[in-house]
Amino acid sequence: MSDRSTSFDPVPDPELGPALREALAMPHDGAFVTRLRALVRQRRERTWDEVLAGWFWRGVMATTAAAAALATGYTLLGNGATTGGTEESVAVQLLDGERPAADVILASWTSGQ
Amino acid sequence: MTGVDDAELAARAAGGDPEAFGELVARHAPMARRVAYAVLEDQEDADDAAQEGFLSAWQAIGRYDARRAFRPWLMQIVVNAARDLRRRRRVRTAEPRDHVAAASRDDPAKEAGALDLGDRLREALATLPERQRLAVVLFDAEGYPQAEIARMLGIPEGTVKSDVFHGRRALRKALGSVKEEWDE
């Protein structure tokens, strides 16, 4: 170990490096690796399960969303038709003795009513 | 799989081969555990962090850029896992000595002097701020270049250089004191 206390040595310390590795080394590397390998295999199997489950639930959700959209569309169309039927025409407004609004007159004129 | 390099194993792992990833685990586990220990100063926590790091890497292997070296990519994940665990377990008391006890149980024939040196180095490491500790371990013990360490820790290269410089000074002092005792 030379005197390197005043300047930075840009290469790893050949004495300190191995001493540090030794100091930080932990026992039972083999057991750690075996346990982790098993977890990796397990994680993969679970991942496939998760993928399939994900597809299943995505399918269920898409079907539900499509059904909901259809139902909503149907309801809106139905409501729209009903609403159209209840709209007062120029004739009804005139019969009621009211003065029809300008947009109602314009709409009836353009539609040939 | 001894003749296969890391990039090839990572490519196979990305294709869904758990055995290829297992080989990467076997190759890099000792380093990952050492680095995690340098952050957490506790054997059990270090193993938890290293395990979490490997499993995160396994999940993210599809995003690994094969043009870059595998080892720093993995080590960055392990360092992040260890730092994250440290944040979560900050309240828990670290017990760095459990390591020494375990080592002596595993190898009773090991020289008392060697254990003493490890003990002193760990004590000296514990006095350093986390970033300095990591910088000196990654540079001197694990041989990573400064630029790679800067990327891993998200700090400028100049800071790595300064951290290694100051970290070394404390550790060399510990190393020197043990040597002096041996010489007496």
Side-chain angles (χ1 to χ4, degrees), chain A residues 25-74:
Chain A
M26 302 213 297
H28 316 305
D29 273 332
F32 177 83
V33 170
T34 306
R35 192 176 65 238
L36 199 46
R37 280 186 137 153
L39 280 171
V40 164
R41 270 185 233 111
Q42 251 178 40
R43 199 51 82 97
R44 181 177 183 261
E45 282 158 19
R46 205 164 59 206
T47 301
W48 278 111
D49 290 348
E50 279 167 7
V51 168
L52 290 173
W55 285 347
F56 172 75
W57 286 114
R58 238 175 277 172
V60 169
M61 281 167 72
T63 311
T64 311
L70 275 173
T72 310
Y74 180 78

Side-chain angles (χ1 to χ4, degrees), chain B residues 96-168:
Chain B
R97 298 302 180 102
D98 69 339
H99 173 171
V100 181
S104 49
R105 272 199 308 275
D106 291 347
D107 189 3
K110 208 165 187 176
E111 283 179 41
L115 280 175
D116 214 18
L117 172 62
D119 210 5
R120 295 281 176 87
L121 278 175
R122 280 189 296 277
E123 274 171 13
L125 267 175
T127 64
L128 302 177
E130 183 199 275
R131 202 187 64 203
Q132 237 177 58
R133 207 159 60 223
L134 264 174
V136 75
V137 166
L138 289 169
F139 188 77
D140 280 321
E142 309 301 349
Y144 284 98
Q146 289 168 50
E148 204 74 73
I149 298 169
R151 229 191 331 262
M152 266 189 238
L153 305 184
I155 53 175
E157 266 190 69
T159 310
V160 173
K161 199 170 152 178
S162 155
D163 281 348
V164 171
F165 178 81
H166 292 293
R168 270 173 171 176

Side-chain angles (χ1 to χ4, degrees), chain B residues 68-123:
Chain B
R68 283 183 58 195
F70 178 77
R71 214 174 63 137
W73 179 79
L74 172 71
M75 225 38 68
Q76 185 165 9
I77 296 175
V78 171
V79 165
N80 288 343
R83 284 177 145 180
D84 193 42
L85 194 67
R86 190 181 171 86
R87 271 193 294 273
R88 279 186 275 140
R89 295 190 181 170
R90 207 176 279 275
V91 283
R92 224 179 97 174
T93 318
E95 296 163 4
R97 298 302 180 102
D98 69 339
H99 173 171
V100 181
S104 49
R105 272 199 308 275
D106 291 347
D107 189 3
K110 208 165 187 176
E111 283 179 41
L115 280 175
D116 214 18
L117 172 62
D119 210 5
R120 295 281 176 87
L121 278 175
R122 280 189 296 277
E123 274 171 13

Side-chain angles (χ1 to χ4, degrees), chain A residues 1-2 4-30 32-33 35-37 39-41 43-44 47-48 50, chain B residues 16 18-19 21-23 25-26 29-30 33-34 37 43 46-47 50-51 54-55 58-59 99 106 110 118 121-122 125 137 139-141 146 161 164-165 168 171-172 175 179:
Chain A
M1 197 168 51
S2 59
R4 286 166 286 189
S5 55
T6 52
S7 63
F8 178 74
D9 189 353
V11 291
D13 188 316
E15 203 173 358
L16 185 60
L20 268 176
R21 275 201 300 278
E22 175 89 24
L24 296 172
M26 302 213 297
H28 316 305
D29 273 332
F32 177 83
V33 170
R35 192 176 65 238
L36 199 46
R37 280 186 137 153
L39 280 171
V40 164
R41 270 185 233 111
R43 199 51 82 97
R44 181 177 183 261
T47 301
W48 278 111
E50 279 167 7
Chain B
E19 297 311 316
F21 192 80
E23 180 60 27
V25 169
R33 296 174 84 205
R34 281 195 300 265
Y37 184 85
Q43 203 175 55
D47 267 356
Q51 179 176 306
F54 274 113
L55 291 176
W58 173 229
Q59 273 183 320
H99 173 171
D106 291 347
K110 208 165 187 176
L121 278 175
R122 280 189 296 277
L125 267 175
V137 166
F139 188 77
D140 280 321
Q146 289 168 50
K161 199 170 152 178
V164 171
F165 178 81
R168 270 173 171 176
L171 297 177
R172 279 178 181 149
L175 201 61
K179 282 185 134 190

